[in-house]
Amino acid sequence: MAQIFLKYVKAIGLDETASKRCHNYVTVFIDLDRDKDPVLFATPGQGKQALQEFRQFLEDRGGKVDKLDTFMS
């Protein structure tokens, strides 16, 4: 699998959704500027932990949270 480079990502959206009726949550992060293959990251769970995991993922791939123009949930 190719390494994704996220330095130029400017607009992120996220959705926290229950994967089953037992409230097993999954959080999905997308690039709002991408039409094709917008999903950047998905992680089990929700809230602060999911945001921390995405931040680490973003920074490991050249992105910076403080460079984002838009962050929607």
Side-chain angles (χ1 to χ4, degrees), residues 2-73:
Q3 180 80 5
I4 188 169
F5 187 65
L6 302 177
K7 182 176 182 177
Y8 300 107
V9 172
K10 296 186 298 184
I12 298 292
L14 71 92
D15 185 34
E16 296 174 337
T17 187
S19 62
K20 299 196 181 210
R21 290 185 182 187
C22 298
H23 302 286
N24 296 323
Y25 285 91
V26 174
T27 303
V28 179
F29 296 82
I30 64 167
D31 183 342
L32 295 173
D33 293 328
R34 254 189 203 180
D35 292 328
K36 185 177 179 185
D37 301 325
V39 176
L40 298 174
F41 183 72
T43 186
Q46 64 179 358
K48 186 175 181 178
Q49 180 178 347
L51 291 171
Q52 289 171 337
E53 289 179 26
F54 176 71
R55 180 183 190 134
Q56 186 65 52
F57 176 83
L58 181 69
E59 291 179 354
D60 287 348
R61 286 151 184 83
K64 298 284 184 197
V65 171
D66 60 345
K67 299 289 183 187
L68 297 176
D69 294 333
T70 307
F71 196 92
M72 297 176 55
S73 61

